């Protein structure tokens, strides 16, 4: 008698490494050194709620690092697995609802992307999505 074939493995909706981008995050020197040492910790506030915010180029961070917790002068280049992306409009809304990590995660998404008018931003909710970080010269 032949053994039964193994059941198919459950597919993770977004396997790690499936959608990796090189993205940029600007902060102050003290926070930057902590990020290099310990990794990112999701923030509590932002256009799309709490998370880790990235821009698609170092230059784009200049107009994006403007929140109350934002600082400048230290540029981080990160390899980020954005996974399954929920796209929002310029106000970080979709289908009439403001997007945030809880809403996105409940729909099976790993990140949010939106463009408030100065270029795309990507927000991940878990530091495990950030695969590597390094400081790059800035400005």
């Amino acid at each position: 008698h032949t053994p039964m074939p193994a059941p198919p493995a459950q597919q993770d909706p977004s396997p790690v490494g499936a959608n990796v981008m090189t993205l940029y995050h600007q902060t102050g020197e003290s926070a930057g050194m902590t990020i290099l040492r310990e990794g990112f910790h999701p923030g509590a506030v932002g256009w799309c709620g709490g998370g880790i915010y990235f821009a698609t180029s170092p230059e784009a961070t200049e107009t994006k690092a403007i929140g109350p917790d934002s600082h400048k002068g230290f540029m981080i280049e990160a390899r980020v697995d954005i996974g399954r992306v929920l796209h929002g409009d310029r106000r970080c809304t979709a289908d009439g609802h403001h997007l945030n990590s809880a809403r996105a995660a409940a729909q099976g998404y790993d990140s949010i992307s939106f463009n408030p008018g100065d270029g795309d931003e990507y927000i991940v909710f878990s530091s495990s999505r950030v695969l590597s970080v390094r400081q790059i010269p800035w400005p």
Side-chain angles (χ1 to χ4, degrees):
H1 115 339
T2 51
M4 293 290 292
Q10 288 283 32
Q11 277 294 342
D12 180 352
S14 54
V16 172
N19 197 3
V20 177
M21 294 181 72
T22 299
L23 298 171
Y24 300 87
H25 180 93
Q26 186 171 182
T27 189
E29 179 146 2
S30 174
M33 294 305 289
T34 299
I35 290 167
L36 294 182
R37 230 180 13 257
E38 302 173 10
F40 279 96
H41 300 290
V45 296
W47 274 90
C48 303
I52 307 166
Y53 283 68
F54 294 97
T56 56
S57 72
E59 295 77 18
T61 66
E62 283 295 318
T63 57
K64 294 179 177 302
I66 56 173
D69 298 330
S70 296
H71 304 283
K72 292 190 174 184
F74 193 98
M75 186 66 63
I76 293 174
E77 179 183 84
R79 298 281 295 150
V80 182
D81 181 358
I82 60 172
R84 195 161 168 245
V85 182
L86 178 57
H87 296 276
D89 65 16
R90 65 180 300 139
R91 292 185 181 90
C92 201
T93 59
D95 299 324
H97 297 285
H98 189 77
L99 303 180
N100 59 40
S101 60
R103 185 179 300 277
Q107 296 177 39
Y109 292 96
D110 304 300
S111 62
I112 294 172
S113 175
F114 84 117
N115 181 342
D118 62 355
D120 289 337
E121 292 186 36
Y122 289 88
I123 304 97
V124 295
F125 322 124
S126 169
S127 56
S128 67
R129 290 258 158 213
V130 183
L131 307 178
S132 66
V133 294
R134 70 183 186 113
Q135 180 184 14
I136 61 171
W138 190 256

